[in-house]
Amino acid sequence: MGLRKLSALTIAASYIGTVVGAGFASGQEVLQFFTFFGLKSIPALALATFLFIFFGGTVLRLGRQLQARSYVAVVTAAGGPFLGRAVDAIITFFLFGALTAMAAGAGAIFAEQFGLPRLLGSALMVAASLVTVLAGFYGVVLSISFVVPVLLFSVVGLSLAALATTPLDLRIIGIWTREANPAIPFWPAAALAYVSYNLILAIPILAPLGAAAAGTTAANRGALLGGLGLGLGALAINLAILTVPFAAARFEIPMVYIAGRFSPVAQQAYGLVLLAEIYTTAVANLYGFTTRVAEPASPRFRKTAVAVAVAAFVASLLGFALLVRYLYAAVGVAGFLLLAGLTHAYLREKSGRNQ
């Protein structure tokens, strides 16, 4: 890691940027896990925010204690040899699968939003992610943290504009909620599943971030600010969709529909925001998978990164929807196992401090 130490703000921005991928900015994840519950989405989001802070802080502190260069040390410490290996295997599979899905998603946006070839979008996304990863860990952190303010500003700005032009109608929300059919019908479980799924994406970056943190205080504050930022962004998207729930829920990308209600220019601009969010997630996935296979800063690391990027581009030809469909089950299992292990690690850490 060198001698450079990261501040709480940099850690928070990297945490946010790793989680807020295409599903977040599109509004589809927030719709499925929160908005379908109507007004109950507010306590659900509060719970998710707390869990992001709690589990993010646990990973960062473990990464700092172990001086982790990849997520494997943290997963093993949290889950033990057997559970650690199981979670590691599923995370590794998902990192490659998610990278492939991000490449396919970029191709879909190029085709559907800009009328450009899908292959061009996928190729450019993979190439940009590869260049960033080859710049090393600090290149990854700086690129993700640089993009995050733009992402949050865009999401919150669009949501405020939607609320200003179309105030919430509690009667309409109540009618829509009764007709909604969330995948997970119990809102606390939905919040837990959402955090579980997204922590899988975040841990490959959070673990080495903890090792590079300026101190335990910086790690804890980074988790706090990162969790609050994620909660704020999800709340903004949730409220924006609730302004026109019947219409927005019919679209695969609800936030692009909402942007399009203002102007075609706003819709195109939000398409660029989606690409930026895909980029931050793709970079984290490529870096996490490559560090699992090869030691960072080694000659093998660069060769592995190139090979993985090429393989992901080829696999992305299968299409975005097909890839996502077969990833979710594995991700959910890995996520709950990981959260259980992290909870055990936290209780063990707390018990050690009290003795």
Side-chain angles (χ1 to χ4, degrees):
M1 293 295 177
L3 298 176
R4 297 171 65 183
K5 296 298 180 182
L6 302 178
S7 68
L9 283 176
T10 302
I11 292 170
S14 300
Y15 188 5
I16 295 169
T18 303
V19 170
V20 291
F24 183 95
S26 69
Q28 189 58 233
E29 279 187 6
V30 174
L31 172 67
Q32 295 291 338
F33 286 94
F34 301 104
T35 313
F36 276 141
F37 294 103
L39 294 182
K40 290 180 181 178
S41 62
I42 306 301
L45 282 164
L47 175 60
T49 300
F50 167 77
L51 293 174
F52 272 127
I53 295 170
F54 174 77
F55 287 114
T58 303
V59 173
L60 286 165
R61 288 192 301 274
L62 278 173
R64 177 171 171 75
Q65 292 167 14
L66 300 169
Q67 285 299 292
R69 297 178 67 85
S70 79
Y71 70 88
V72 179
V74 170
V75 169
T76 302
F82 178 76
L83 180 60
R85 281 196 295 270
V87 174
D88 174 30
I90 302 175
I91 291 177
T92 302
F93 162 76
F94 175 60
L95 287 173
F96 178 78
L99 172 63
T100 300
M102 291 302 103
I109 291 174
F110 262 58
E112 295 173 8
Q113 295 297 316
F114 304 110
L116 297 172
R118 289 177 180 268
L119 285 179
L120 177 62
S122 298
L124 288 177
M125 182 57 63
V126 169
S129 302
L130 177 61
V131 169
T132 304
V133 167
L134 292 180
F137 177 70
Y138 288 102
V140 171
V141 170
L142 290 176
S143 65
I144 293 176
S145 59
F146 178 78
V147 172
V148 163
V150 177
L151 304 183
L152 286 180
F153 176 81
S154 301
V155 167
V156 174
L158 178 58
S159 299
L160 289 176
L163 288 168
T165 55
T166 312
L168 296 177
D169 188 324
L170 299 184
R171 185 182 65 85
I172 294 296
I173 292 173
I175 295 172
W176 177 75
T177 302
R178 287 194 292 272
E179 298 178 2
N181 185 28
I184 301 176
F186 186 47
W187 66 260
L192 183 63
Y194 181 73
V195 174
S196 166
Y197 170 85
N198 280 291
L199 200 68
I200 295 293
L201 287 176
I203 195 170
I205 296 297
L206 284 179
L209 270 179
T216 302
T217 300
N220 288 334
R221 288 178 178 172
L224 174 63
L225 294 173
L228 290 175
L230 289 168
L232 174 63
L235 175 63
I237 292 172
N238 180 59
L239 293 177
I241 296 174
L242 285 176
T243 61
V244 284
F246 282 101
R250 293 201 305 266
F251 291 84
E252 286 191 339
I253 309 179
M255 290 299 282
V256 167
Y257 162 74
I258 291 171
R261 297 180 71 230
F262 293 96
S263 72
V265 173
Q267 188 174 40
Q268 295 288 318
Y270 202 79
L272 294 176
V273 171
L274 275 173
L275 286 174
E277 299 221 15
I278 287 175
Y279 164 74
T280 61
T281 302
V283 166
N285 292 336
L286 178 57
Y287 182 82
F289 186 90
T290 307
T291 55
R292 177 63 187 90
V293 178
E295 184 72 15
S298 68
R300 186 185 173 201
F301 180 88
R302 300 177 68 86
K303 295 177 181 178
T304 302
V306 172
V308 171
V310 172
F313 171 72
V314 173
S316 72
L317 302 179
L318 293 173
F320 184 66
L322 181 64
L323 289 165
V324 170
R325 175 180 298 180
Y326 290 103
L327 285 173
Y328 273 78
V331 175
V333 172
F336 284 122
L337 291 174
L338 177 60
L339 295 190
L342 290 174
T343 302
H344 174 69
Y346 170 79
L347 294 174
R348 189 172 62 232
E349 175 191 19
K350 186 176 181 181
S351 175
R353 286 200 303 263
N354 292 335
Q355 290 178 357

